[in-house]
Amino acid sequence: MANRFLRYGDRRYIISKETEARLHRTLDAVYADGSRGHQWLTLYPDTAAPCRLLIATGVPISIETEVSLVD
């Protein structure tokens, strides 16, 4: 199974498919016409360490996949 990561600036955060979907919705809202240009994204809701990131225009963001080769 492949691990998926959100690279935000110079950090990497493990993300789920659900979190990735929320990220895409957040990006759509940030880059929409008339938006404020930023929005908070909670990476791990319903956990003891929810980890919030400020998603803003101009901040480098990417999704990375790390493939595990298991026999």
Side-chain angles (χ1 to χ4, degrees), residues 25-39 55-61:
R25 289 191 298 271
T26 301
L27 288 169
D28 288 344
V30 166
Y31 285 96
D33 289 338
S35 76
R36 296 183 307 204
H38 67 277
Q39 196 169 39
I55 305 301
T57 57
V59 177
I61 297 173

Side-chain angles (χ1 to χ4, degrees), residues 10-56:
D10 62 349
R11 298 191 180 220
R12 279 186 358 163
Y13 302 90
I14 262 189
I15 62 168
S16 65
K17 292 284 187 179
E18 175 187 302
T19 302
E20 186 175 351
R22 286 189 292 108
L23 171 64
H24 287 290
R25 289 191 298 271
T26 301
L27 288 169
D28 288 344
V30 166
Y31 285 96
D33 289 338
S35 76
R36 296 183 307 204
H38 67 277
Q39 196 169 39
W40 286 99
L41 172 68
T42 302
L43 293 181
Y44 315 117
D46 305 324
T47 67
C51 187
R52 291 180 63 196
L53 298 177
L54 182 62
I55 305 301

Side-chain angles (χ1 to χ4, degrees), residues 1-3 66-71:
M1 177 171 216
N3 290 323
E66 182 178 86
V67 179
S68 174
L69 301 175
V70 178
D71 293 330

